[in-house]
Amino acid sequence: MVRAARRPPGDDPKVSTGTPAPTRDGAGPKMRTMHPNVQAVQNALTAAEAKGQVIVLPDATTTAEQAAAALGVDIGQIVKSLIFDADGGPLLVLTSGVNRVDTAKVAKQFGYTSVKRATPEFVKEHTGQPIGGVAPLGHPKPIPTIVDTALAAYDVIWAAGGIPHAVFPTTYDELVRITGATPAEVA
């Protein structure tokens, strides 16, 4: 089992929790609010009794490489949330940042005629979230989901939180549980 170290979010001045926090401007205290996508993901995590909390990074991390660098973790610990068009419907594949999904393999394993890359519009329509920030949960409707078994090699994995600036930590077992996903080899 790979045991990559991770910096706790509270130990990194570049990372802040996604929880609304009091701020001050010249007029007095104000509440900073979460982006609606981040709030939807946090609400889904809370409802699923997940241990992780969405954190907001200062810069967008639209690739696994960027997210790993921002968090100081191995690229394999990054969960890529990829929406595919599977016979006209959405299919969410959660894969390790080091893997590339073999769409022919996924189609054959799960009985689809065709699994192909979805357009940004298709992704937004089915998740309510932009490419580069698609979370494993917090979507308007449930989406059939597959989780890459390669993610089980890590004690902590990081998934997108609904926008390119947001992520949350979880474990492989928790990710499978909170998404209701089917584990499979996808690369």
Side-chain angles (χ1 to χ4, degrees):
M1 173 152 307
V2 176
R3 301 211 189 268
R6 81 165 178 90
R7 214 177 340 196
D11 290 352
D12 187 345
K14 298 182 297 181
V15 178
S16 64
T17 63
T19 307
T23 61
R24 288 211 172 257
D25 66 5
K30 287 169 69 171
M31 290 301 289
R32 185 172 23 140
T33 58
M34 273 194 251
H35 186 283
N37 289 355
V38 174
Q39 187 65 61
V41 172
Q42 185 59 59
N43 289 347
L45 289 169
T46 301
E49 297 180 357
K51 294 180 180 145
Q53 181 177 349
V54 178
I55 59 171
V56 177
L57 302 170
D59 297 310
T61 57
T62 58
T63 67
E65 293 84 0
Q66 291 171 343
L71 294 165
V73 300
D74 185 85
I75 192 169
Q77 290 178 262
I78 303 302
V79 178
K80 295 190 298 190
S81 299
L82 306 173
I83 294 287
F84 292 94
D85 180 333
D87 295 342
L91 174 67
L92 175 58
V93 178
L94 305 172
T95 189
S96 171
V98 296
N99 286 344
R100 183 178 180 105
V101 174
D102 180 337
T103 56
K105 181 178 187 175
V106 169
K108 185 176 180 181
Q109 281 181 329
F110 292 92
Y112 291 106
T113 304
S114 170
V115 174
K116 60 186 178 184
R117 175 175 281 195
T119 65
E121 296 79 21
F122 185 91
V123 172
K124 184 83 167 180
E125 174 188 347
H126 292 285
T127 67
Q129 302 165 354
I131 290 177
V134 174
L137 69 173
H139 311 131
K141 294 180 186 172
I143 298 173
T145 304
I146 300 167
V147 174
D148 185 355
T149 54
L151 290 165
Y154 301 95
D155 290 333
V156 176
I157 53 179
W158 291 83
I163 61 172
H165 286 76
V167 294
F168 67 91
T170 189
T171 65
Y172 174 78
D173 289 337
E174 183 175 74
L175 184 64
V176 170
R177 179 182 65 78
I178 66 177
T179 61
T182 302
E185 289 184 22
V186 300

